[in-house]
Amino acid sequence: MPTAMQTASKATHAPQKLVQAYGANQLTKADYVHQMHNSLHQHLFTYPGLLQNSELAEIRLTPDGVVFVQQATGLMFKCSPTDERAMPIDVLNFGRYEPAEIAMAHKLINDGDTVLDIGANMGWYSIGLAHKFEHLSIAAFEPVPATRALLTENIALNLDNLGQGSRIMVQNCALTAPGEPESITMYIAPDCGVNASMKNVAERENAQEVSCPASTLDQWLEEFWVAEAGSELEARVNYIKCDVEGAEWLVMQGARKTLQQYQPIVQLELLRKWAKPYGYHPNTVIEFMQELRYTCCVINPHGQLEAFTLVDETTQATNYFFLPTTKRHLIET
C-alpha cells in the first residue's frame, strides 16, 4: 500500500504529466481538458465549504506556493505540501487548532514578557503571539532545517502584521537534558513533520534522520540570552511553551535552574504514547514540577484553569499549564 507521501507526490505530478502528454500530442484537447478538470480543477471548489466555520479566511494560490490566511488576524502561513498534520491542514480538517490552549496563553502572557517557544514548528504559536502583543520577545526553537526554513519564511510573510515592539528570534537548537551530546539525531517523517522528535515516536517507516545542534535550556540561557541578548534585553523568562513530541521531560531536566530562577509559567504537551518511547510517564514531569513548587493545571470546560494532580488511563487532557507559587491566584477554585 502506498504511503501518504507517495500518494501526495503522485497527485502533484499527475497534472504535469497531463500537460506534457498534451504538449506531445498524446491527448486530444477535449481529453486534456476533461482529465485536468476531473483530476485537479474541480477540487478547488470543495474548499470554500471547508473554510466555513473555520479559523481560516482564505487560501491563496501563488506562483511561490499555497498561503493560508487566518480569519481573525490576517496572519499568513505556508506549510509543507507533504505534511498531513501541518497546522493549517489541521484547521481544514477540524476547524480549529488548539483554540483553548491558545486562548489561555493569551490570558497568561503579559505585554512585554519574554516567551520561549520550544518546538516552534512553522510558527503558529510564535507568530500569533507576536501579533497579539505589541512588545513581546520570543525565542523560537526549531532545530529541523526544513521546518526552520518554513518558520523563517512565515515570519517574513507577516512582518507588517506583528506588534511594533515584538520580535521573534529563531534558534537553531534542540533542547535536551544535562549530559546529552551537543549534536543529536531528530527523526522526521515528511508526511508528519509535527511529530519530529529525538525518537521515531510515530513509528513511521519513512522517517528521515537529521543531525541537529543541542543544548540544555540552562546552558542556552547562559551562553546566548545573557551573553548576547543581555545588552538589549533584560535577562528573564516569563513563559515557556514546550511541545516536542515526547522529549518534554528531557527539556525540563535541562531547565531546572531556569525554572528556579525565573519561575516562568510553563505550558507542556504531555502524551502517554509519546512519553513511552522515552521511558517515562507524564506523572514523572508533574512530580518534578511539584518539587519545584509548581502547580499543575488543566483547562476545564469553562475555559478556566483548575488544579490537576495525576494522569491515569482515563485522562483525556494532553496540554498542561504549570504555575509557580506567585501565579497560583490564577487557578479557579
Side-chain angles (χ1 to χ4, degrees):
M1 182 178 293
T3 65
M5 185 178 67
Q6 291 170 334
T7 302
S9 178
K10 288 181 180 179
T12 300
H13 291 98
Q16 297 173 0
K17 291 181 178 179
L18 287 173
V19 172
Q20 293 170 359
Y22 177 65
N25 294 319
Q26 295 172 356
L27 286 175
T28 66
K29 184 176 182 179
D31 286 341
Y32 170 66
V33 169
H34 177 72
Q35 291 187 43
M36 283 290 283
H37 185 76
N38 284 350
S39 66
L40 183 68
H41 301 321
Q42 68 175 352
H43 300 295
L44 289 171
F45 300 94
T46 65
Y47 281 92
L50 293 176
L51 291 177
Q52 293 178 10
N53 301 315
S54 84
E55 292 180 335
L56 295 176
E58 57 182 295
I59 302 172
R60 297 176 184 172
L61 305 181
T62 77
D64 295 325
V66 179
V67 179
F68 300 87
V69 184
Q70 285 186 349
Q71 184 84 249
T73 65
L75 293 173
M76 298 172 286
F77 294 91
K78 289 185 177 181
C79 65
S80 168
T82 62
D83 192 345
E84 61 188 32
R85 290 305 309 269
M87 287 75 172
I89 304 302
D90 254 20
V91 173
L92 288 175
N93 288 336
F94 305 110
R96 304 284 186 276
Y97 181 79
E98 297 192 352
E101 290 79 5
I102 291 173
M104 182 56 66
H106 289 175
K107 291 179 182 179
L108 298 175
I109 293 171
N110 296 307
D111 204 11
D113 278 354
T114 296
V115 177
L116 307 185
D117 185 358
I118 303 171
N121 202 270
M122 54 175 282
W124 196 266
Y125 261 90
S126 284
I127 294 171
L129 289 173
H131 168 81
K132 173 71 176 178
F133 297 95
E134 279 294 315
H135 300 89
L136 217 59
S137 296
I138 303 171
F141 293 83
E142 182 45 62
V144 178
T147 311
R148 189 172 63 256
L150 267 176
L151 169 62
T152 302
E153 185 175 9
N154 285 333
I155 292 171
L157 270 177
N158 291 286
L159 282 180
D160 293 336
N161 206 7
L162 303 183
Q164 292 184 352
S166 291
R167 65 170 179 164
I168 304 172
M169 294 158 283
V170 177
Q171 304 300 309
N172 176 20
C173 182
L175 296 180
T176 186
E180 294 291 329
E182 294 183 356
S183 179
I184 55 94
T185 298
M186 296 284 288
Y187 296 85
I188 178 170
D191 56 338
C192 200
V194 295
N195 290 149
S197 190
M198 286 181 270
K199 294 186 181 293
N200 187 9
V201 293
E203 299 181 342
R204 298 291 183 115
E205 293 182 359
N206 62 339
Q208 300 169 357
E209 297 184 12
V210 180
S211 180
C212 302
S215 171
T216 66
L217 178 56
D218 290 342
Q219 181 182 355
W220 177 85
L221 277 168
E222 290 179 3
E223 295 181 358
F224 172 79
W225 203 244
V226 175
E228 298 186 31
S231 59
E232 301 177 32
L233 299 167
E234 181 183 346
R236 59 180 176 172
V237 179
N238 304 101
Y239 193 94
I240 296 175
K241 168 255 171 187
C242 180
D243 181 353
V244 286
E245 305 304 293
E248 289 81 8
W249 171 224
L250 302 183
V251 176
M252 291 299 101
Q253 290 179 78
R256 178 186 285 270
K257 182 179 176 182
T258 301
L259 298 173
Q260 291 175 322
Q261 181 175 352
Y262 299 108
Q263 296 187 5
I265 295 174
V266 181
Q267 175 185 343
L268 290 178
E269 182 187 68
L270 296 172
L271 275 73
R272 296 186 294 277
K273 65 177 181 178
W274 294 156
K276 187 175 181 180
Y278 283 90
Y280 75 94
H281 190 277
N283 289 332
T284 304
V285 181
I286 294 175
E287 292 167 2
F288 171 79
M289 296 297 284
Q290 288 172 341
E291 290 174 4
L292 297 181
R293 302 190 67 187
Y294 273 82
T295 300
C296 178
C297 300
V298 294
I299 302 173
N300 67 24
H302 304 291
Q304 301 165 326
L305 288 178
E306 63 179 36
F308 182 89
T309 57
L310 184 71
V311 174
D312 59 28
E313 295 306 312
T314 66
T315 302
Q316 295 184 359
T318 57
N319 285 286
Y320 301 84
F321 294 81
F322 293 85
L323 304 186
T325 304
T326 55
K327 301 291 184 179
R328 285 180 185 169
H329 63 278
L330 298 173
I331 301 173
E332 183 70 15
T333 57

